[in-house]
């Protein structure tokens, strides 16, 4: 297991802790509980080679989804492959239809236009997307490795956070 499962687990754990504290909820965060258990050696449930990748609850409970909360977030993933001179979208819905991906560099920020962003609600969902993308990568035999990757992969995470004032939560926001 590498750094990605741990980084994704920690990302969702911290987002849920922030959401729970700002939204006035008890700390009933299963990601934090399982993380603490894994550190203390109490549990290895839901792990992959010793690294806990806990199931997490959805970003907003369904019963409160229509209510505005003080803190909400959404995480999206993008997974691209650079193979030769071609940029491939590893999370595209269709592998037969190829969308032209153009990289635009604007004010020091690179953006892949035409690439797919997949919303994920937990570290497990993110790892499923990454696993699906890894299976789509181009591989070929080399003298050193029978299934060597012949490309470079780039995973991007977009985190959108909304923090509202008490006036925005109780009534309509003033723009």
């Amino acid at each position: 297991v590498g750094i990605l499962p741990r980084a994704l687990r920690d990302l969702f754990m911290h987002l849920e802790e922030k959401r729970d504290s700002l939204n006035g909820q008890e700390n009933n965060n299963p990601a934090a509980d399982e993380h603490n258990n894994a550190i203390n050696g109490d549990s290895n449930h839901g792990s992959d080679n010793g690294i806990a990748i806990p199931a997490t609850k959805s970003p907003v409970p369904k019963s409160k989804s229509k209510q505005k909360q003080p803190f909400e977030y959404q995480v999206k993933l993008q997974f691209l492959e650079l193979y030769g001179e071609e940029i491939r979208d590893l999370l595209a819905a269709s592998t037969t239809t190829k969308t032209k991906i153009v990289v635009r560099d604007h004010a020091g920020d690179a953006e892949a236009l035409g690439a797919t962003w997949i919303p994920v609600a937990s570290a497990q969902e993110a790892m499923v997307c990454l696993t699906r993308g890894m299976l789509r990568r181009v591989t070929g035999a080399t003298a050193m490795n029978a299934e060597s990757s012949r490309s470079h992969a780039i995973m991007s995470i977009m985190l959108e956070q909304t923090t509202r004032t008490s006036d925005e939560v109780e009534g309509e926001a003033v723009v």
Side-chain angles (χ1 to χ4, degrees), residues 2 9 13 23 33 35 37 51 59 63 67 69 88 104 116-117 125 127 129 138 141 152 156 166-167 173:
R9 178 200 60 216
M13 183 183 67
N23 293 352
D33 293 343
H35 174 69
N37 288 341
I51 303 298
S63 63
Q67 297 175 352
Q69 296 292 316
R88 297 181 56 233
R104 180 179 69 173
T116 304
W117 285 99
E125 284 184 25
M127 288 306 298
C129 285
V138 175
H152 300 278
S156 300
S166 60
D167 293 338

Side-chain angles (χ1 to χ4, degrees), residues 94-159:
S94 172
T95 56
T96 57
T97 307
K98 293 188 179 185
T99 304
K100 176 83 170 152
I101 297 173
V102 177
V103 176
R104 180 179 69 173
D105 188 10
H106 178 69
D109 291 331
E111 178 181 15
L113 302 173
T116 304
W117 285 99
I118 303 288
V120 292
S122 69
Q124 282 183 325
E125 284 184 25
M127 288 306 298
V128 167
C129 285
L130 292 177
T131 301
R132 188 178 76 218
M134 291 299 288
L135 294 173
R136 292 182 175 179
R137 290 188 68 190
V138 175
T139 59
T142 65
M144 297 291 287
N145 188 340
E147 290 188 25
S148 174
S149 172
R150 309 299 292 163
S151 63
H152 300 278
I154 302 169
M155 182 195 74
S156 300
I157 300 173
M158 180 188 305
L159 170 59

Side-chain angles (χ1 to χ4, degrees), residues 18-144:
K18 183 174 181 179
R19 183 198 60 218
D20 290 348
S21 69
L22 291 175
N23 293 352
Q25 299 173 359
E26 287 183 25
N27 186 7
N28 56 357
N29 182 345
D33 293 343
E34 189 144 349
H35 174 69
N36 292 335
N37 288 341
I39 289 174
N40 296 331
D42 296 341
S43 170
N44 201 22
H45 174 70
S47 69
D48 184 17
N49 294 331
I51 303 298
I53 305 174
T56 58
K57 56 189 173 186
S58 63
V60 178
K62 289 184 180 183
S63 63
K64 296 183 179 183
S65 63
K66 298 209 190 271
Q67 297 175 352
K68 290 185 179 180
Q69 296 292 316
F71 178 77
E72 295 175 351
Y73 66 88
Q74 182 176 29
V75 178
K76 298 177 185 177
L77 290 183
Q78 182 182 76
F79 198 27
L80 304 174
E81 175 182 50
L82 303 174
Y83 180 68
E85 298 293 321
E86 184 181 349
I87 301 172
R88 297 181 56 233
D89 187 345
L90 297 174
L91 297 179
S94 172
T95 56
T96 57
T97 307
K98 293 188 179 185
T99 304
K100 176 83 170 152
I101 297 173
V102 177
V103 176
R104 180 179 69 173
D105 188 10
H106 178 69
D109 291 331
E111 178 181 15
L113 302 173
T116 304
W117 285 99
I118 303 288
V120 292
S122 69
Q124 282 183 325
E125 284 184 25
M127 288 306 298
V128 167
C129 285
L130 292 177
T131 301
R132 188 178 76 218
M134 291 299 288
L135 294 173
R136 292 182 175 179
R137 290 188 68 190
V138 175
T139 59
T142 65
M144 297 291 287

